[in-house]
Amino acid sequence: MNSQITLKQLETLYWIARLGTFERAASRLATSQSAVSKRMQELERASAIEIFDRSQRGARLSAKGEELLAIAEKMLVLHDQIADVRASETGRPRLLRLGVTELTAMTWLPRLVGVLREHYPALKISPAVDMSRTLFSALEDDHLDLIIVPSAFRMPEFFSLPLAEVENVWMAKKGLIDTSRPHSVRDLAEYPMLMQGSQSGSGILLNKWLQSQGIAVQEALTSDSMTALLGLAVAGLGVSYLPGHCFSHLVDSGQLEIIRTEESLPPVPYVAMYREDRPHSLIHHVAEIAASCADFECSFQS
């Protein structure tokens, strides 16, 4: 009788814990539910651990099962690292297809790339910078492995790991609006509004917020590009919501000024998204590294 713990058993445990049921784990691993059950029986025998709490319904881990899961996750990461070593020996680097929006690209993407290279020296990173909806579609079509976008999209087969929030403020060209007093957002809506559209995750979230406040925009200039909106704001064509920290240098130089409002804009949460039915520990570990690197509070110098 084989009493050895195998990587396949640990990978199966990982996906049962992640997806919640034996059935979903079997689908993810392209095998049968009976094969998944057999692997867990073999793992319990080999480890002498009762992995599941059988007093509970479903695939609920016991306390010892949780400890074993933590070890399994480390083993899977180590397996990926061994694959990196093998790839470096054979000259075939592993590929990470990473999608980000322009705000991530101009803030903390360089730091993320640096940390990834420290952890995975043989990893080849293929970046794509685009609109949130375009990146999400590419993830759906399996053209990207992981995307970093505002939390505006949800589907059951995608996993989202929270990263950080972006604080936006209203900005306009100096002198366009009286800044001696706070304004209501309803008052600002009487000016031309420079807004992101339906291809932008931030635009989707913030435009929904404006609608929830019952604010009707009188005149809107729409662009999915935040950089384009920034240029239009500097040109004095209207009022826009922009990440205050990133463009503070334009406030300091007098090109823009912050418009104080009675109602604060809601923060925009960013997430790392990847498919649940794609390979496991490398992408998950990249997402965790992204969470440790995410920092939108920086000044972008043009």
Side-chain angles (χ1 to χ4, degrees), residues 167-188:
E167 299 289 344
N168 289 278
V169 295
W170 294 102
M171 287 187 177
K173 185 176 182 179
K174 193 168 185 177
L176 182 67
I177 297 177
D178 175 18
T179 57
S180 64
R181 61 179 179 85
H183 293 266
S184 70
V185 176
R186 200 174 301 276
D187 290 340
L188 292 186

Side-chain angles (χ1 to χ4, degrees), residues 5-13 39-40 42-43:
I5 295 176
T6 68
L7 191 68
K8 184 172 289 189
Q9 293 164 359
L10 295 176
E11 183 184 33
T12 303
L13 172 62
R39 289 177 194 173
M40 289 303 92
E42 292 171 346
L43 181 57

Side-chain angles (χ1 to χ4, degrees), residues 13 17 49-52 59-73:
L13 172 62
I49 292 173
E50 187 171 318
I51 297 171
F52 298 96
R60 189 76 58 86
L61 294 179
S62 65
K64 288 294 184 182
E66 292 283 359
E67 292 182 27
L68 184 58
L69 173 63
I71 295 171
E73 290 174 343

Side-chain angles (χ1 to χ4, degrees), residues 151-298:
S151 182
F153 311 98
R154 284 182 173 80
M155 288 184 71
E157 61 266 36
F158 292 89
F159 180 76
S160 296
L161 182 70
L163 299 181
E165 293 184 337
V166 174
E167 299 289 344
N168 289 278
V169 295
W170 294 102
M171 287 187 177
K173 185 176 182 179
K174 193 168 185 177
L176 182 67
I177 297 177
D178 175 18
T179 57
S180 64
R181 61 179 179 85
H183 293 266
S184 70
V185 176
R186 200 174 301 276
D187 290 340
L188 292 186
E190 296 178 3
Y191 293 83
M193 300 284 280
L194 309 176
M195 305 173 67
Q196 290 178 295
S198 59
Q199 297 300 308
S200 161
S202 294
I204 292 170
L205 295 174
L206 292 176
N207 293 344
K208 281 183 179 179
W209 178 80
L210 288 171
Q211 292 174 6
S212 73
Q213 301 299 305
I215 295 170
V217 177
Q218 301 301 314
E219 180 183 351
L221 296 175
T222 302
S223 173
D224 291 307
S225 169
M226 180 187 62
T227 305
L229 293 182
L230 178 67
L232 295 174
V234 170
L237 294 181
V239 182
S240 189
Y241 44 77
L242 294 163
H245 288 283
C246 292
F247 303 117
S248 60
H249 65 288
L250 295 176
V251 175
D252 295 339
S253 66
Q255 297 181 72
L256 291 175
E257 59 184 349
I258 295 174
I259 312 301
R260 292 180 297 142
T261 56
E262 296 166 358
E263 309 95 340
S264 297
L265 285 163
V268 175
Y270 270 68
V271 296
M273 293 187 70
Y274 58 91
R275 298 181 65 103
E276 289 278 25
D277 58 349
R278 293 295 182 268
H280 47 78
S281 55
L282 171 64
I283 304 304
H284 181 65
H285 193 221
V286 169
E288 290 180 330
I289 291 173
S292 70
C293 292
D295 181 9
F296 294 98
E297 295 189 4
C298 68

Side-chain angles (χ1 to χ4, degrees), residues 94-153:
R94 301 189 67 184
L95 178 65
L96 171 67
R97 302 169 301 170
L98 175 65
V100 301
T101 61
E102 56 188 338
L103 182 58
T104 299
M106 62 174 62
T107 53
W108 56 276
L109 178 61
R111 182 185 174 198
L112 173 61
V113 170
V115 175
L116 286 175
R117 283 176 172 166
E118 289 177 8
H119 282 78
Y120 299 100
L123 184 66
K124 181 180 178 182
I125 301 171
S126 176
V129 182
D130 215 320
M131 298 295 110
S132 297
R133 191 175 291 281
T134 302
L135 294 174
F136 183 73
S137 296
L139 186 67
E140 280 189 294
D141 295 338
D142 199 24
H143 295 150
L144 291 173
D145 300 310
L146 183 141
I147 61 174
I148 295 171
V149 293
S151 182
F153 311 98

